[in-house]
Amino acid sequence: MSEFKPENLAVQYVPPASIFNPIDNRKYTLTHCDTTGELFLSIGCHFDPGKINMTMRDEVLGEWKRNLGQYTFSGTVYISGGEFDQQLSNVRYMIFKKELPLALAAMVNGDKGFYAYYPWLLDAPIIICFESIFPEYQQTLYLGTPRQYLIK
C-alpha cells in the first residue's frame, strides 16, 4: 500500500456542501494522477462527474448513508462492466484492493474538519462495493471505521 501524504491531497468543496453540511448523502469523488501521485478529492451533494475519467474508471466514490438511524460510509469501486476482460479486471481488482486504505485515508483526512462537528461518525462502519460483471470481483467488504484512517 502507498503511504498517505497530506501534502499530495487537493480538496474541493462543491457548494452547497461545506465543512459542516450535509451529513446525509455527503458524497466524495477521489481521483489521482499516476505520474505525480497527487490525489484530488471533491466533496459535495453529488459525485463530481467532471473528475471521472470514463475510459479509465479509476476513481473511488464514497458517501454517507443513514439506515434506521445508523450512519454508514458506503463506497464504490468500478472494476468492469464488460469493457475490460477478465485478466485486466483481475489487475484492476488487485490494485484497488491494495490502494483502498490510501483512498480511505485521503477521504477521511481530506474532510477532517467535518469530524470535529460529527465525531461519532469516526466510529461508523465503512462498506466498499466492488462492481464487476465477473462474479469473483463483485464483492462487498467491511474496511473498518474512519477513525482507523485518521492521521493524528
Side-chain angles (χ1 to χ4, degrees), residues 37-58:
E38 291 175 290
L39 299 168
F40 307 96
L41 178 62
S42 293
I43 302 169
C45 298
H46 304 282
F47 295 118
D48 191 346
K51 303 281 182 174
I52 297 172
N53 180 330
M54 294 308 285
T55 304
M56 291 296 299
R57 293 303 311 264
D58 56 359

Side-chain angles (χ1 to χ4, degrees), residues 23-44:
I23 300 176
D24 292 340
N25 300 312
R26 184 180 191 83
K27 295 187 177 7
Y28 301 81
T29 306
L30 182 72
T31 58
H32 70 280
C33 177
D34 285 328
T35 55
T36 65
E38 291 175 290
L39 299 168
F40 307 96
L41 178 62
S42 293
I43 302 169

Side-chain angles (χ1 to χ4, degrees), residues 53-71:
N53 180 330
M54 294 308 285
T55 304
M56 291 296 299
R57 293 303 311 264
D58 56 359
E59 75 281 352
V60 177
L61 304 175
E63 67 182 302
W64 284 104
K65 293 183 177 180
R66 182 171 36 165
N67 185 16
L68 301 174
Q70 180 178 349
Y71 283 95

Side-chain angles (χ1 to χ4, degrees), residues 58-128:
D58 56 359
E59 75 281 352
V60 177
L61 304 175
E63 67 182 302
W64 284 104
K65 293 183 177 180
R66 182 171 36 165
N67 185 16
L68 301 174
Q70 180 178 349
Y71 283 95
T72 301
F73 186 82
S74 297
T76 304
V77 175
Y78 183 82
I79 302 298
S80 178
E83 71 278 27
F84 303 117
D85 66 16
Q86 190 158 3
Q87 185 176 1
L88 185 52
S89 295
N90 181 53
V91 170
R92 289 174 57 81
Y93 172 80
M94 297 304 287
I95 291 170
F96 273 120
K97 200 164 179 189
K98 177 180 176 251
E99 297 297 337
L100 262 174
L102 171 68
L104 292 170
M107 290 176 166
V108 170
N109 289 282
D111 204 15
K112 198 180 246 184
F114 176 70
Y115 297 105
Y117 290 96
Y118 309 104
W120 64 88
L121 292 178
L122 286 169
D123 298 310
I126 297 173
I127 306 295
I128 305 293

